[in-house]
Structure formats: structure tokens, C-alpha cells
Amino acid sequence: GMGTDFSTIRPEFALVRRTGSVSSGILPFMDMWDSGCKTIKSSGDRRGAMMGTLCDTHPDLPAFILAKREKGRLENFNVSILLSDAFKSAAEENADWPLYFNVPPISQTPECAALNFIDDSGEMQYVYSVWDAAELWDLILKNTYEYAEPGTIFIDRVNEWNNLYYCETIRCTNPCGEQPLPPFG
């Protein structure tokens, strides 16, 4: 088993500058990894297991939340959302929650374009959509109740409590969620 954070993959409808094409988003990549995992068996009878995580600001988050509603999809994955303190506060306050990425979408509403911003590292972030954080939280809870996924990882707490905080940032867990992992951990 292994865990992978899909937050760095371009969202669906993101512009692929070099080719002038459009990104398919994270779910086709996860489908491909899921198919690969199905072919790997330990001693011929044990299946693989994976954890897929996604940050709470990624534009594909709503599709990620709903992905496992489709029978037979991502059967070798457990999926969890990396929930930040900022998201929890926004949900408590019924505040707007922008979903954004550092690559522009093929088209953007004027309302979303007005919300584009430069992040703390100096990188431009493009807003794809804006949700009411409480509604997004309710969508997460409803799917967790009805389909047992997605899980939630309160990522700011995990990293705050990480004894190696000074040299690594946790972005995922192992497939069952009990072992937080940094990149390549």
C-alpha cells in the first residue's frame, strides 16, 4: 500500500500552456493508478491498497468528494481530504470558500477572476469556483455517512504535532490513515 497527495495535479479544465489543451483533472489519474493497483497481487491473492488525499482548496474537490459514489470506481483507494484550520473556520462562519490553483482555467467568470490572488510564496492563484464552506462541509459529511468516504485529515493539527516539523511537511497517510507521511515517506 501507499499514499499519494493528488493536490499538485492540474484540475479539470486547467489550461495546459505548452500544448494549448485542457487538463483532465485528478480523477482520471486516480483511475489509472487504481487500475495499476488491481494488477498487483501479493502471493496471487492479496490486493493492493492506496490512500489518495486532496487539499481543501483544489478545484476538483467536489468531484473528489463524490467520486466513490460511482460503483466500481477507485476500489483500491481510500480517499481523504486535507482539511485546514482556515476551512474549519470558514465552515463555522458560513463563509465563502474559493477553490483555486496556480494554473488558469480555460475560462473564468468575472466574479472568480476578481478573486485571483498572489499567495504567500509569490505565485498567482486562479479561482475556479466559490462555495459556501458550510455547504461543502455538509457535502463531505453526507458522503462520509452514506459511502464511508471521504475521510478527513486535519492537516494543520497533524503538521503542528509532527516531531519532525522543522524538516518535513506531512501531505498524506498510509492507506488506512494511521501513519502520516511526508513526500516520499
Side-chain angles (χ1 to χ4, degrees):
M2 62 182 231
T4 303
D5 178 20
F6 288 89
S7 300
T8 60
I9 295 177
R10 287 184 186 103
E12 187 175 18
F13 305 117
L15 179 63
V16 181
R17 291 183 182 128
R18 283 193 193 132
T19 62
S21 59
V22 178
S23 172
S24 61
I26 64 159
L27 290 178
F29 282 93
M30 292 182 76
D31 291 333
M32 181 177 60
W33 286 43
D34 190 60
S35 293
C37 189
K38 286 177 187 173
T39 65
I40 300 170
K41 304 246 186 218
S42 174
S43 302
D45 62 353
R46 204 167 152 216
R47 70 180 189 94
M50 296 183 290
M51 170 62 81
T53 62
L54 192 67
C55 69
D56 59 15
T57 58
H58 195 283
D60 286 348
L61 182 60
F64 182 80
I65 294 167
L66 300 172
K68 295 204 61 175
R69 283 181 170 257
E70 187 178 325
K71 188 171 173 58
R73 188 168 203 186
L74 304 178
E75 290 180 325
N76 295 292
F77 269 103
N78 290 326
V79 296
S80 288
I81 301 165
L82 302 173
L83 289 178
S84 63
D85 290 342
F87 178 84
K88 291 188 298 184
S89 294
E92 288 172 0
E93 298 166 8
N94 283 355
D96 286 342
W97 188 253
L99 300 179
Y100 57 86
F101 201 75
N102 63 356
V103 175
I106 56 168
S107 67
Q108 192 178 33
T109 67
E111 296 81 16
C112 286
L115 298 173
N116 293 346
F117 65 97
I118 296 174
D119 67 15
D120 293 340
S121 65
E123 193 166 18
M124 185 67 170
Q125 299 293 331
Y126 301 90
V127 176
Y128 282 61
S129 64
V130 178
W131 285 69
D132 177 296
E135 288 179 17
L136 196 53
W137 178 240
D138 286 344
L139 183 65
I140 293 166
L141 293 178
K142 181 178 181 183
N143 277 276
T144 300
Y145 179 78
E146 293 177 0
Y147 295 92
E149 295 199 63
T152 55
I153 299 172
F154 296 103
I155 198 63
D156 291 338
R157 294 291 67 71
V158 169
N159 280 299
E160 179 183 320
W161 296 338
N162 179 12
N163 290 336
L164 297 173
Y165 66 90
Y166 57 89
C167 66
E168 69 181 19
T169 301
I170 305 288
R171 297 300 305 163
C172 200
T173 69
N174 69 330
C176 294
E178 74 274 10
Q179 177 63 53
L181 299 168
F184 307 104

